[in-house]
Amino acid sequence: MYDVPTLGLNYRMSDINAALGRRQLARLDEILRRRRRNFTQLKTALDDKGPWWILDAKEDNTTNSFYCLSVILKAPLNTRRNEIVSKLHAAGVGTSVYYPQPVPRMTYYKNKYGYIAADYPNAAIISDHGVALPVGPHLQPEELEFIASTFKSVTQEFPQ
C-alpha cells in the first residue's frame, strides 16, 4: 500500500532532463492547448451518463494543466476498480491511480498534522474509486476515441 511515513525530498532531475524540460517550456502554450483539447474530447466521449463521474475543475481564478482525465467510478462499479484498470491495460489503454491513498490516511500527515481521514470523505472517494486516463499532447483524436470506447466496453463487463 502506498504510504508516506516520513517527509522526504526528490532531487533526481538530471542535466539531460533539465535540458529537455527547458525546450518543452518553450512549447508550453501549445502543449497545454493540446491537453485541453484532448481532455475535452475524452470527456465528451465518456460523458457523465455512465456509472461514473468526471473530475473537472472549473474555477475562474485557476488554470488547469489537464494532466489526465480522472473518472470516479460509482457503486457498484467502484469496488471493481483494480479489475477495470487491469482490463484497460490488457486492451492497450494506459491508466494510473492518483493516488492510492489520500493524504489524510498517510502516516506522516496523520502524525504531523493530526489529520482524521473521516474528515475528508471526498479525498477518500477520489483516491479509492478514481481511474486516471491519458490526455497527453501526443494523443490523436482516434486514439482518444479508442480510449473512450474501450473504457465503456470494459466497464460494461461488470454488473451495474
Side-chain angles (χ1 to χ4, degrees):
M1 182 59 71
Y2 184 86
D3 193 13
V4 176
T6 62
L7 182 62
L9 301 171
N10 179 344
Y11 292 112
R12 291 183 258 172
M13 182 181 284
S14 69
D15 291 343
I16 291 177
N17 287 338
L20 290 171
R22 284 182 52 112
R23 291 292 294 157
Q24 285 188 316
L25 282 174
R27 300 178 41 238
L28 184 59
D29 289 341
E30 174 63 16
I31 289 169
L32 291 176
R33 186 190 67 72
R34 287 182 184 186
R35 283 186 172 281
R36 181 181 302 109
R37 177 200 66 201
N38 290 351
F39 180 95
T40 301
Q41 181 185 339
L42 188 55
K43 180 182 177 193
T44 300
L46 289 175
D47 64 43
D48 281 333
K49 293 181 177 71
W52 57 76
W53 53 277
I54 297 169
L55 280 183
D56 188 6
K58 293 180 183 176
E59 300 293 329
D60 291 337
N61 61 346
T62 63
T63 301
N64 190 331
S65 68
F66 300 100
Y67 179 73
C68 65
L69 184 141
S70 292
V71 178
I72 312 304
L73 302 170
K74 296 178 184 176
L77 206 56
N78 59 6
T79 63
R80 312 298 289 272
R81 185 206 30 208
N82 294 343
E83 294 169 82
I84 291 167
V85 166
S86 291
K87 287 182 174 281
L88 288 168
H89 280 257
V93 175
T95 65
S96 295
V97 172
Y98 297 119
Y99 283 87
Q101 285 287 13
V103 167
R105 290 197 305 222
M106 293 182 191
T107 303
Y108 174 78
Y109 299 99
K110 282 191 300 189
N111 294 342
K112 174 134 177 105
Y113 300 107
Y115 288 156
I116 299 167
D119 291 344
Y120 303 92
N122 291 335
I125 290 167
I126 292 166
S127 174
D128 296 341
H129 308 301
V131 177
L133 299 173
V135 295
H138 62 285
L139 293 171
Q140 298 302 310
E142 59 275 7
E143 293 170 304
L144 295 161
E145 285 300 323
F146 174 77
I147 292 167
S149 64
T150 304
F151 181 84
K152 288 178 178 179
S153 175
V154 164
T155 56
Q156 289 174 357
E157 295 177 24
F158 298 93
Q160 303 182 27

